[in-house]
Coordinates of all heavy atoms in Angstrom, one line a residue:
M195 N 80.4 24.8 44.9 CA 79.2 25.5 44.7 C 78.7 25.2 43.3 O 79.4 25.4 42.3 CB 79.6 27.0 44.8 CG 78.4 27.9 44.7 SD 78.9 29.6 45.0 CE 77.9 30.5 44.0
P196 N 77.4 24.8 43.2 CA 76.9 24.5 41.9 C 76.6 25.7 41.0 O 76.4 26.8 41.6 CB 75.6 23.7 42.2 CG 75.2 24.2 43.6 CD 76.5 24.5 44.3
V197 N 76.7 25.6 39.7 CA 76.5 26.7 38.8 C 75.0 26.8 38.6 O 74.3 25.9 38.3 CB 77.2 26.5 37.5 CG1 76.9 27.6 36.5 CG2 78.7 26.4 37.7
C198 N 74.5 28.0 38.8 CA 73.1 28.3 38.6 C 72.9 28.8 37.2 O 73.7 29.6 36.7 CB 72.6 29.4 39.6 SG 70.9 29.8 39.4
V199 N 71.8 28.4 36.5 CA 71.6 28.8 35.2 C 71.4 30.3 35.1 O 71.7 30.9 34.1 CB 70.4 28.0 34.6 CG1 70.0 28.6 33.2 CG2 70.6 26.6 34.6
A200 N 70.9 30.9 36.1 CA 70.6 32.4 36.1 C 71.8 33.2 36.4 O 71.8 34.4 36.4 CB 69.5 32.7 37.1
D201 N 72.9 32.5 36.7 CA 74.2 33.3 37.0 C 74.6 34.1 35.8 O 74.8 33.6 34.7 CB 75.3 32.2 37.4 CG 76.6 32.9 37.7 OD1 76.6 34.1 38.0 OD2 77.6 32.2 37.8
P202 N 74.8 35.4 35.9 CA 75.1 36.3 34.8 C 76.4 35.8 34.1 O 76.5 35.9 32.9 CB 75.3 37.7 35.4 CG 74.5 37.6 36.7 CD 74.6 36.2 37.1
F203 N 77.4 35.4 34.8 CA 78.6 34.9 34.1 C 78.4 33.7 33.3 O 78.9 33.6 32.1 CB 79.7 34.6 35.2 CG 81.0 34.2 34.6 CD1 81.8 35.2 34.0 CD2 81.4 32.9 34.6 CE1 83.0 34.8 33.4 CE2 82.6 32.5 34.0 CZ 83.4 33.5 33.4
F204 N 77.6 32.8 33.7 CA 77.2 31.6 33.0 C 76.5 32.0 31.7 O 76.8 31.5 30.6 CB 76.4 30.6 33.8 CG 76.1 29.4 33.1 CD1 77.0 28.4 32.9 CD2 74.7 29.1 32.7 CE1 76.7 27.2 32.2 CE2 74.4 28.0 32.1 CZ 75.4 27.0 31.9
V205 N 75.5 32.9 31.8 CA 74.7 33.3 30.6 C 75.6 34.0 29.6 O 75.5 33.8 28.4 CB 73.6 34.3 31.1 CG1 72.9 34.9 29.9 CG2 72.6 33.5 32.0
R206 N 76.6 34.8 30.1 CA 77.5 35.5 29.2 C 78.4 34.5 28.5 O 78.8 34.8 27.3 CB 78.4 36.5 30.0 CG 77.7 37.7 30.5 CD 78.3 38.9 29.9 NE 77.7 40.1 30.4 CZ 77.5 41.1 29.6 NH1 77.8 41.0 28.3 NH2 77.1 42.2 30.1
L207 N 78.8 33.4 29.1 CA 79.6 32.4 28.4 C 78.8 31.8 27.2 O 79.4 31.5 26.2 CB 80.0 31.3 29.4 CG 81.1 31.7 30.3 CD1 81.4 30.5 31.3 CD2 82.4 32.0 29.6
I208 N 77.5 31.7 27.4 CA 76.7 31.1 26.3 C 76.4 32.1 25.2 O 76.6 31.8 24.0 CB 75.4 30.5 26.9 CG1 75.7 29.4 27.9 CG2 74.5 30.1 25.8 CD1 74.5 28.9 28.6
F209 N 76.0 33.3 25.6 CA 75.6 34.2 24.6 C 76.6 35.2 24.1 O 76.4 36.1 23.2 CB 74.3 35.0 25.1 CG 73.1 34.1 25.2 CD1 72.7 33.7 26.4 CD2 72.5 33.7 24.1 CE1 71.6 32.9 26.5 CE2 71.3 32.9 24.1 CZ 70.9 32.5 25.4
G210 N 77.8 35.2 24.7 CA 78.9 36.1 24.4 C 79.4 36.8 25.6 O 78.6 37.4 26.4
L211 N 80.7 36.8 25.7 CA 81.3 37.4 27.0 C 81.2 38.9 27.0 O 80.8 39.5 28.0 CB 82.8 36.9 27.0 CG 83.5 37.1 28.4 CD1 82.7 36.4 29.5 CD2 84.9 36.6 28.3
F212 N 81.6 39.6 25.9 CA 81.6 41.1 25.9 C 80.5 41.7 25.1 O 80.0 42.8 25.4 CB 82.9 41.6 25.4 CG 84.1 41.2 26.3 CD1 85.0 40.2 25.9 CD2 84.2 41.7 27.6 CE1 86.0 39.8 26.7 CE2 85.2 41.3 28.4 CZ 86.1 40.4 28.0
K213 N 80.0 41.0 24.1 CA 78.9 41.4 23.3 C 78.2 40.2 22.7 O 78.8 39.1 22.8 CB 79.4 42.3 22.1 CG 80.3 41.6 21.1 CD 80.7 42.5 20.0 CE 81.5 41.7 19.0 NZ 81.8 42.5 17.8
P214 N 77.0 40.3 22.3 CA 76.2 39.1 21.8 C 77.0 38.4 20.6 O 77.5 39.1 19.7 CB 74.9 39.6 21.3 CG 74.7 40.9 22.0 CD 76.1 41.5 22.3
R215 N 77.1 37.1 20.7 CA 77.7 36.4 19.5 C 76.9 36.5 18.3 O 77.4 36.6 17.2 CB 77.8 34.9 19.9 CG 78.8 34.6 21.0 CD 78.9 33.1 21.2 NE 79.6 33.0 22.5 CZ 80.0 31.9 23.0 NH1 79.6 30.7 22.4 NH2 80.7 31.8 24.1
Q216 N 75.6 36.6 18.4 CA 74.7 36.8 17.3 C 74.1 38.2 17.4 O 73.3 38.4 18.3 CB 73.6 35.7 17.2 CG 72.6 35.9 16.2 CD 73.1 35.7 14.8 OE1 74.0 36.5 14.4 NE2 72.6 34.8 14.0
P217 N 74.4 39.1 16.6 CA 73.9 40.5 16.8 C 72.4 40.6 16.6 O 71.8 41.5 17.1 CB 74.7 41.3 15.8 CG 75.2 40.3 14.8 CD 75.3 39.0 15.5
V218 N 71.8 39.7 15.8 CA 70.4 39.8 15.6 C 69.7 38.7 16.5 O 70.0 37.5 16.3 CB 70.0 39.5 14.1 CG1 68.5 39.5 13.9 CG2 70.7 40.5 13.2
L219 N 68.9 39.1 17.5 CA 68.3 38.2 18.4 C 67.0 37.6 17.9 O 66.6 38.0 16.8 CB 68.2 38.9 19.8 CG 69.5 39.4 20.3 CD1 69.2 40.2 21.6 CD2 70.5 38.4 20.6
G220 N 66.4 36.8 18.7 CA 65.1 36.3 18.4 C 65.2 34.9 17.9 O 66.1 34.5 17.2
M221 N 64.2 34.0 18.3 CA 64.2 32.6 17.9 C 62.9 32.1 17.2 O 62.8 31.0 16.8 CB 64.5 31.7 19.1 CG 65.9 32.0 19.7 SD 66.4 30.9 20.9 CE 65.0 30.6 22.0
T222 N 61.9 33.0 17.1 CA 60.7 32.6 16.4 C 60.4 33.5 15.2 O 60.7 34.7 15.3 CB 59.5 32.6 17.4 OG1 59.4 33.9 17.9 CG2 59.7 31.6 18.5
V223 N 59.9 33.0 14.2 CA 59.6 33.8 13.0 C 58.1 33.5 12.6 O 57.6 32.4 12.9 CB 60.5 33.4 11.8 CG1 61.9 33.8 12.1 CG2 60.4 31.9 11.4
A224 N 57.5 34.4 11.9 CA 56.2 34.3 11.4 C 56.0 35.2 10.2 O 56.5 36.4 10.2 CB 55.1 34.6 12.4
G225 N 55.4 34.8 9.1 CA 55.3 35.7 8.0 C 54.8 35.0 6.8 O 54.2 33.9 6.8
E226 N 55.1 35.6 5.6 CA 54.7 35.0 4.3 C 55.9 34.6 3.5 O 56.9 35.3 3.5 CB 53.9 36.1 3.6 CG 53.1 35.6 2.5 CD 52.2 36.7 2.0 OE1 51.2 37.1 2.7 OE2 52.4 37.2 0.8
V227 N 55.8 33.5 2.9 CA 56.9 33.0 2.1 C 57.1 33.9 0.9 O 56.2 34.2 0.1 CB 56.7 31.6 1.6 CG1 57.8 31.1 0.7 CG2 56.5 30.6 2.8
E228 N 58.3 34.5 0.7 CA 58.7 35.3 -0.4 C 59.3 34.6 -1.5 O 59.0 34.9 -2.7 CB 59.7 36.4 0.1 CG 59.1 37.4 1.1 CD 58.4 38.5 0.4 OE1 58.8 38.9 -0.7 OE2 57.4 39.0 1.0
Q229 N 60.1 33.5 -1.2 CA 60.8 32.8 -2.3 C 61.1 31.4 -1.7 O 61.4 31.3 -0.6 CB 62.0 33.6 -2.6 CG 62.8 33.0 -3.8 CD 64.0 33.9 -4.1 OE1 64.3 34.9 -3.5 NE2 64.8 33.5 -5.1
V230 N 61.1 30.4 -2.6 CA 61.5 29.1 -2.2 C 62.6 28.6 -3.1 O 62.7 29.0 -4.3 CB 60.4 28.1 -2.2 CG1 59.3 28.5 -1.1 CG2 59.7 28.0 -3.5
G231 N 63.4 27.7 -2.6 CA 64.5 27.1 -3.5 C 63.9 26.1 -4.5 O 62.8 25.7 -4.4
K232 N 64.7 25.7 -5.4 CA 64.3 24.8 -6.5 C 63.9 23.4 -6.0 O 63.1 22.7 -6.6 CB 65.3 24.7 -7.6 CG 66.6 24.1 -7.2 CD 67.6 24.1 -8.3 CE 68.9 23.4 -7.8 NZ 69.8 23.2 -8.9
N233 N 64.5 23.0 -4.9 CA 64.2 21.7 -4.4 C 63.1 21.6 -3.3 O 62.8 20.6 -2.7 CB 65.5 21.0 -3.8 CG 66.5 20.8 -4.8 OD1 66.2 20.5 -6.0 ND2 67.8 21.0 -4.5
V234 N 62.5 22.8 -3.0 CA 61.4 22.8 -2.0 C 60.1 22.6 -2.7 O 59.7 23.3 -3.6 CB 61.4 24.2 -1.3 CG1 60.3 24.3 -0.3 CG2 62.8 24.4 -0.6
S235 N 59.3 21.6 -2.2 CA 58.0 21.3 -2.8 C 56.9 21.5 -1.8 O 55.7 21.6 -2.2 CB 58.0 19.9 -3.3 OG 58.2 19.0 -2.2
L236 N 57.1 21.6 -0.5 CA 56.1 21.8 0.5 C 55.5 23.2 0.6 O 54.3 23.4 0.7 CB 56.6 21.4 1.9 CG 55.6 21.4 3.0 CD1 54.5 20.5 2.8 CD2 56.3 21.1 4.3
F237 N 56.4 24.2 0.4 CA 55.9 25.6 0.5 C 56.0 26.3 -0.9 O 56.8 26.0 -1.7 CB 56.8 26.4 1.5 CG 56.8 25.8 2.8 CD1 57.9 25.1 3.3 CD2 55.7 26.0 3.7 CE1 57.9 24.5 4.6 CE2 55.7 25.4 4.9 CZ 56.8 24.7 5.4
R238 N 55.0 27.3 -1.0 CA 55.0 28.1 -2.2 C 55.0 29.6 -1.8 O 54.7 29.9 -0.7 CB 53.7 27.8 -3.0 CG 53.8 26.4 -3.7 CD 52.5 26.2 -4.4 NE 51.5 26.1 -3.4 CZ 50.4 25.4 -3.5 NH1 50.1 24.8 -4.6 NH2 49.5 25.4 -2.5
K239 N 55.3 30.4 -2.8 CA 55.3 31.8 -2.5 C 53.9 32.2 -2.1 O 52.9 31.8 -2.7 CB 55.7 32.6 -3.8 CG 55.8 34.1 -3.6 CD 56.3 34.8 -4.9 CE 56.3 36.3 -4.7 NZ 56.8 37.0 -5.8
G240 N 53.8 33.0 -1.0 CA 52.5 33.5 -0.5 C 52.0 32.7 0.6 O 51.1 33.1 1.3
D241 N 52.5 31.5 0.9 CA 52.1 30.7 2.1 C 52.4 31.5 3.4 O 53.5 32.0 3.5 CB 52.8 29.3 2.1 CG 52.3 28.4 1.0 OD1 51.2 28.6 0.5 OD2 53.0 27.4 0.8
Q242 N 51.5 31.4 4.3 CA 51.7 32.0 5.6 C 52.2 30.9 6.6 O 51.6 29.9 6.7 CB 50.4 32.6 6.2 CG 49.9 33.8 5.3 CD 48.7 34.5 5.9 OE1 48.0 33.9 6.8 NE2 48.5 35.7 5.5
V243 N 53.4 31.2 7.2 CA 54.1 30.2 8.0 C 54.5 30.8 9.3 O 54.6 32.0 9.5 CB 55.3 29.6 7.2 CG1 54.8 28.8 6.0 CG2 56.3 30.7 6.8
F244 N 54.9 29.9 10.2 CA 55.5 30.3 11.5 C 56.5 29.2 11.8 O 56.4 28.1 11.3 CB 54.5 30.6 12.6 CG 53.9 29.3 13.1 CD1 54.4 28.7 14.2 CD2 52.8 28.8 12.5 CE1 53.9 27.5 14.7 CE2 52.2 27.6 13.0 CZ 52.7 27.0 14.1
G245 N 57.5 29.5 12.6 CA 58.5 28.5 13.0 C 59.5 29.0 13.9 O 59.4 30.1 14.5
S246 N 60.5 28.2 14.1 CA 61.6 28.6 15.1 C 62.9 28.3 14.5 O 63.1 27.5 13.6 CB 61.4 27.6 16.3 OG 62.5 27.8 17.2
T247 N 63.9 29.1 14.9 CA 65.3 28.9 14.5 C 66.0 28.0 15.5 O 67.2 28.0 15.4 CB 66.0 30.3 14.3 OG1 66.0 30.9 15.6 CG2 65.4 31.1 13.3
E248 N 65.3 27.4 16.4 CA 65.9 26.6 17.4 C 66.8 27.5 18.3 O 66.3 28.6 18.7 CB 66.5 25.4 16.9 CG 65.6 24.4 16.2 CD 66.2 23.3 15.5 OE1 67.4 23.4 15.0 OE2 65.6 22.3 15.4
M249 N 68.0 27.1 18.6 CA 68.9 27.9 19.4 C 69.8 28.8 18.6 O 70.8 29.3 19.1 CB 69.6 27.0 20.4 CG 68.8 26.4 21.4 SD 68.0 27.6 22.5 CE 69.4 28.3 23.4
R250 N 69.6 28.9 17.3 CA 70.5 29.6 16.5 C 70.4 31.2 16.5 O 71.2 31.9 16.1 CB 70.4 29.2 15.0 CG 70.9 27.8 14.8 CD 70.8 27.4 13.4 NE 69.6 28.0 12.8 CZ 69.4 28.1 11.5 NH1 70.2 27.5 10.7 NH2 68.3 28.7 11.1
M251 N 69.3 31.7 17.0 CA 69.0 33.1 17.0 C 68.9 33.6 15.6 O 68.9 32.9 14.7 CB 70.0 33.9 17.9 CG 70.1 33.4 19.3 SD 68.7 33.9 20.1 CE 69.3 34.2 21.7
G252 N 68.8 34.9 15.5 CA 68.7 35.6 14.2 C 67.4 35.7 13.5 O 67.3 35.8 12.3
A253 N 66.3 35.7 14.3 CA 65.0 35.7 13.7 C 64.3 37.1 13.7 O 63.1 37.2 13.4 CB 64.1 34.7 14.5
M254 N 65.0 38.1 14.1 CA 64.4 39.4 14.2 C 64.5 40.3 12.9 O 63.9 41.4 12.9 CB 64.9 40.2 15.4 CG 64.6 39.6 16.7 SD 62.9 39.7 17.2 CE 62.9 41.4 17.8
P255 N 65.2 40.0 11.9 CA 65.3 40.9 10.7 C 64.0 40.8 9.9 O 63.1 40.0 10.2 CB 66.5 40.3 9.9 CG 66.5 38.9 10.2 CD 66.0 38.8 11.7
N256 N 63.9 41.7 8.9 CA 62.7 41.7 8.1 C 62.6 40.4 7.2 O 61.5 40.0 6.9 CB 62.7 42.9 7.1 CG 62.5 44.2 7.9 OD1 61.9 44.2 9.0 ND2 63.0 45.3 7.3
M257 N 63.7 39.8 6.9 CA 63.7 38.6 6.1 C 64.5 37.6 6.9 O 65.4 37.9 7.6 CB 64.4 38.8 4.7 CG 63.7 39.8 3.9 SD 62.3 39.0 3.2 CE 61.8 40.3 2.0
S258 N 64.1 36.3 6.8 CA 64.7 35.2 7.5 C 64.8 34.0 6.5 O 63.9 33.7 5.8 CB 64.0 34.9 8.7 OG 64.7 33.9 9.4
V259 N 65.9 33.3 6.6 CA 66.1 32.1 5.8 C 66.1 30.9 6.8 O 66.7 31.0 7.8 CB 67.5 32.1 5.1 CG1 67.7 30.8 4.3 CG2 67.5 33.3 4.1
C260 N 65.4 29.9 6.4 CA 65.3 28.8 7.3 C 65.3 27.5 6.6 O 65.0 27.4 5.4 CB 64.1 28.8 8.3 SG 62.6 28.9 7.4
R261 N 65.6 26.4 7.2 CA 65.6 25.1 6.6 C 64.1 24.7 6.4 O 63.3 25.1 7.2 CB 66.3 24.1 7.6 CG 67.8 24.3 7.7 CD 68.4 23.4 8.6 NE 67.9 23.7 10.0 CZ 68.2 23.1 11.1 NH1 69.0 22.0 11.0 NH2 67.8 23.5 12.3
K262 N 63.8 23.9 5.5 CA 62.4 23.6 5.1 C 61.7 22.8 6.2 O 60.5 22.8 6.3 CB 62.3 22.9 3.8 CG 62.9 21.5 3.8 CD 62.7 20.9 2.4 CE 63.1 19.4 2.4 NZ 62.8 18.8 1.1
A263 N 62.5 22.1 7.1 CA 61.8 21.3 8.2 C 61.3 22.2 9.3 O 60.5 21.7 10.1 CB 62.8 20.3 8.7
L264 N 61.8 23.4 9.5 CA 61.4 24.2 10.6 C 60.1 25.0 10.5 O 59.3 25.0 11.5 CB 62.5 25.2 10.9 CG 63.8 24.6 11.5 CD1 64.8 25.7 11.7 CD2 63.5 23.8 12.8
P265 N 59.7 25.6 9.4 CA 58.5 26.3 9.4 C 57.2 25.4 9.3 O 57.3 24.3 8.8 CB 58.5 27.3 8.2 CG 59.5 26.6 7.3 CD 60.5 25.8 8.2
C266 N 56.1 25.9 9.8 CA 54.8 25.2 9.7 C 53.8 26.1 9.1 O 54.0 27.3 9.3 CB 54.3 24.7 11.1 SG 55.5 23.6 12.0
F267 N 52.8 25.6 8.5 CA 51.7 26.4 8.0 C 51.0 27.1 9.2 O 50.7 26.4 10.2 CB 50.7 25.6 7.2 CG 51.3 25.2 5.9 CD1 51.7 23.9 5.7 CD2 51.5 26.1 4.8 CE1 52.3 23.5 4.5 CE2 52.1 25.7 3.6 CZ 52.4 24.4 3.4
K268 N 50.6 28.3 9.0 CA 49.9 29.1 10.0 C 48.4 28.8 9.8 O 47.9 28.8 8.7 CB 50.2 30.6 9.9 CG 49.4 31.4 10.9 CD 49.7 32.9 10.7 CE 48.9 33.5 9.6 NZ 47.5 33.6 9.8
A269 N 47.7 28.5 10.9 CA 46.2 28.3 10.8 C 45.6 29.6 10.3 O 46.0 30.7 10.7 CB 45.7 27.9 12.1
G270 N 44.6 29.5 9.5 CA 43.9 30.7 8.9 C 43.3 31.7 9.9 O 43.3 32.9 9.6
E271 N 42.8 31.1 11.0 CA 42.1 32.0 12.0 C 43.1 32.8 12.9 O 42.7 33.6 13.7 CB 41.1 31.2 12.8 CG 41.7 30.1 13.6 CD 41.8 28.8 12.9 OE1 41.4 28.7 11.7 OE2 42.2 27.8 13.6
L272 N 44.4 32.5 12.8 CA 45.4 33.1 13.7 C 45.9 34.4 13.0 O 46.1 34.4 11.8 CB 46.5 32.2 14.0 CG 46.2 30.9 14.8 CD1 47.5 30.1 14.9 CD2 45.7 31.3 16.1
D273 N 46.2 35.4 13.8 CA 46.9 36.6 13.3 C 48.4 36.5 13.5 O 48.9 35.6 14.2 CB 46.4 37.9 14.1 CG 44.9 38.2 13.9 OD1 44.4 37.8 12.8 OD2 44.3 38.7 14.8
F274 N 49.1 37.3 12.8 CA 50.6 37.4 13.0 C 50.9 38.0 14.3 O 50.5 38.9 14.7 CB 51.3 38.1 11.9 CG 51.4 37.3 10.6 CD1 50.8 37.6 9.5 CD2 52.1 36.1 10.6 CE1 50.9 36.9 8.3 CE2 52.3 35.3 9.5 CZ 51.6 35.7 8.3

């Protein structure tokens, strides 16, 4: 019998058998840059950005840390 992706047991193996492996869910972020590292030259404090944490989860807190390759500049006519 082939394994179906929607099988609850299969999903539990990926995201955690008894509880979520990552307690903070979410994979997309949008907001304003609060602080940048000393080696970051593309973004500055106050830039409006959006991006994805790929499959790592953890994008639902008030603050999020990401690699500089993931966020993109938000177009001015878009809302958060």
